[in-house]
Amino acid sequence: MLEKLLESYPKPSGKFHRILPIHLAKYSCIFGAQGIGKTDFVLHYFIDSQFYKLKKLYINCDDARLNPKQDLQGLKEFLKKESIDVLILDNYHQYPLPLDFELPFIILISNIPVAIPYFTNIAMPPITFSEFLTMRKLSKEDGLTLYLKFGNLLESLSEQRKGEFLKAITQDSINFWILRNLILHLGQRVSLHQIYTKLKKDGKLSKDRFYAYCQLLNEYGIALWVEKFEHSSAPKKLYFWDFTLRNAVSYERNFGLLFENMVFLELLYRFRVECFYTDKLDFYIPSLSLGILCAPFIQTLEARLNKIGKEREFCDFLLIITLNHTQNGENLGTPYKIIPFSDFAESNLTEIAN
């Protein structure tokens, strides 16, 4: 089996590859949600001129043809006999397999970080808009059209295929039922208890099963929660690693929530700022005293601005993110800047706030 795996080392599958400043240490675990290109990144990484001559062995621990506990028993001896330089274990689930090999590289690919001595855990973020443009060599206008249509997974999937993808990663009907109902609450202020109570009315579901799977989705970076500013016990707002998921599980469209999720991913993964929500602000960044409103279309913007009250006590500046509108102004003594999403995604938040 190991000889067959050695002979069938895969090539990067996609036309597009992640462009990230990630350096893989000697012993690394690269982890993150499904569909963001972890495997493609690792395979493409070792094509580089300084690595391509290294002898590599790739093992997908989820390969249906493979029984890891049985087929990998002689792995250590095989690595030595074949003078393997790079061992890549994909879909690694912390099998009881010793990793005490003396190799130049051992790379684990997983959904969650591992607790193995000497291994460096490296989080791979979802694809942000600027990376999407760079990967595909697109203008901002053309890129935004595709980004809004297909979302930010590595592979551009139609809504139907994305629904099939969700069924595949959840692996059974109960997990898919839970995930689908979570997705239907995208952008809403909701607690897990509220969602569980709703699901219990629709079918049989144990509390332990529900909460355990929700925790797993959070650990995988699939479901992302935002707290209310200075009210950690309040219901949280729920977002996902791909902002178009709601369109894959429902015929009902809500472009405003899709847009809001898209903005949140930029804040979390490109700007890497800690953000919260408030009663009247979609997002608030305490470190910058910056309030953010997501308003793809600005027809009701003035009414929203006029309703902002107590937030003005701690918010020095407002950033309003739209689809294609630009404007500077002031509302009730608070300065604001309106910019298109495509400009926001390539901007400097500190400069905007100052």
Side-chain angles (χ1 to χ4, degrees):
M1 175 64 74
L2 291 171
E3 291 175 353
K4 292 179 181 178
L5 292 172
L6 181 61
E7 294 170 358
S8 57
Y9 182 82
K11 296 180 180 179
S13 58
K15 178 181 178 182
F16 307 109
H17 308 290
R18 298 294 304 266
I19 302 171
L20 295 168
I22 291 178
H23 171 74
L24 296 181
K26 180 178 180 179
Y27 300 139
S28 296
C29 172
I30 189 162
F31 69 95
Q34 291 98 324
I36 61 174
K38 302 186 298 292
T39 300
D40 181 85
F41 175 83
V42 171
L43 294 175
H44 199 257
Y45 184 89
F46 285 105
I47 290 177
D48 189 274
S49 58
Q50 61 177 316
F51 301 127
Y52 79 95
K53 289 185 178 180
L54 298 180
K55 194 170 185 180
K56 299 176 280 288
L57 175 64
Y58 170 88
I59 300 174
N60 181 358
C61 297
D62 278 351
D63 190 328
R65 300 165 295 181
L66 182 69
N67 181 343
K69 294 181 181 179
Q70 176 180 317
D71 296 333
L72 303 185
Q73 286 300 310
L75 179 59
K76 186 172 184 178
E77 295 74 16
F78 182 81
L79 295 171
K80 184 176 181 180
K81 182 185 74 170
E82 296 293 338
S83 301
I84 301 298
D85 300 302
V86 180
L87 172 64
I88 301 171
L89 295 177
D90 201 351
N91 292 303
Y92 182 77
H93 305 294
Q94 295 190 245
Y95 292 106
L97 174 69
L99 295 176
D100 55 344
F101 314 128
E102 287 296 326
L103 298 179
F105 289 95
I106 301 177
I107 309 299
L108 309 179
I109 305 172
S110 177
N111 293 326
I112 57 176
V114 297
I116 304 175
Y118 310 113
F119 271 79
T120 301
N121 285 301
I122 302 170
M124 173 168 279
I127 298 170
T128 58
F129 182 61
S130 59
E131 187 187 358
F132 183 87
L133 295 181
T134 304
M135 288 164 58
R136 288 164 170 76
K137 297 180 175 58
L138 293 169
S139 67
K140 287 195 292 188
E141 293 75 16
D142 293 340
L144 184 58
T145 299
L146 289 177
Y147 201 60
L148 290 169
K149 181 178 180 180
F150 293 110
N152 56 322
L153 299 184
L154 183 68
E155 185 180 357
S156 296
L157 302 175
S158 66
E159 292 174 1
Q160 182 175 345
R161 289 186 61 201
K162 192 163 288 188
E164 294 167 356
F165 166 77
L166 290 174
K167 288 184 177 180
I169 67 172
T170 51
Q171 298 182 339
D172 70 44
S173 59
I174 298 296
N175 287 347
F176 176 72
W177 179 42
I178 295 172
L179 178 58
R180 181 179 183 275
N181 278 274
L182 289 172
I183 293 171
L184 291 175
H185 289 83
L186 184 152
Q188 297 179 19
R189 305 172 187 186
V190 66
S191 68
L192 287 179
H193 175 71
Q194 289 172 314
I195 298 175
Y196 174 70
T197 301
K198 179 179 180 298
L199 286 176
K200 280 284 291 181
K201 295 178 181 178
D202 297 334
K204 186 176 181 180
L205 177 64
S206 77
K207 188 174 183 179
D208 289 345
R209 170 78 180 267
F210 173 78
Y211 280 92
Y213 188 60
C214 288
Q215 181 178 347
L216 199 62
L217 292 174
N218 186 249
E219 291 176 358
Y220 284 2
I222 288 176
L224 309 164
W225 298 87
V226 178
E227 288 187 2
K228 185 176 183 180
F229 182 60
E230 295 184 333
H231 293 276
S232 59
S233 61
K236 298 176 176 62
K237 290 177 77 171
L238 177 59
Y239 300 103
F240 293 88
W241 89 114
D242 172 17
F243 58 86
T244 64
L245 292 186
R246 199 175 190 279
N247 294 346
V249 299
S250 174
Y251 285 107
E252 294 182 8
R253 297 292 184 261
N254 190 320
F255 185 76
L257 293 179
L258 179 152
F259 190 79
E260 192 176 305
N261 196 152
M262 190 167 72
V263 170
F264 171 68
L265 293 177
E266 296 291 327
L267 293 172
L268 186 63
Y269 292 112
R270 180 178 181 269
F271 299 109
R272 298 184 182 277
V273 292
E274 183 180 29
C275 62
F276 302 85
Y277 78 88
T278 74
D279 289 332
K280 302 301 179 183
L281 298 175
D282 293 323
F283 303 109
Y284 173 63
I285 304 172
S287 61
L288 299 174
S289 298
L290 176 65
I292 295 178
L293 294 178
C294 301
F297 312 107
I298 63 170
Q299 286 85 345
T300 61
L301 178 58
E302 185 175 356
R304 289 186 66 186
L305 288 172
N306 291 335
K307 290 179 181 179
I308 297 174
K310 62 181 180 180
E311 285 91 343
R312 297 180 191 271
E313 298 176 6
F314 51 77
C315 184
D316 297 334
F317 192 85
L318 293 173
L319 176 62
I320 301 155
I321 304 169
T322 68
L323 268 180
N324 51 26
H325 195 78
T326 302
Q327 183 182 323
N328 292 327
E330 184 177 295
N331 177 268
L332 301 179
T334 304
Y336 66 78
K337 184 180 184 68
I338 302 176
I339 61 174
F341 172 82
S342 56
D343 290 346
F344 156 75
E346 296 184 329
S347 65
N348 184 308
L349 277 184
T350 302
E351 292 180 0
I352 290 175
N354 294 328

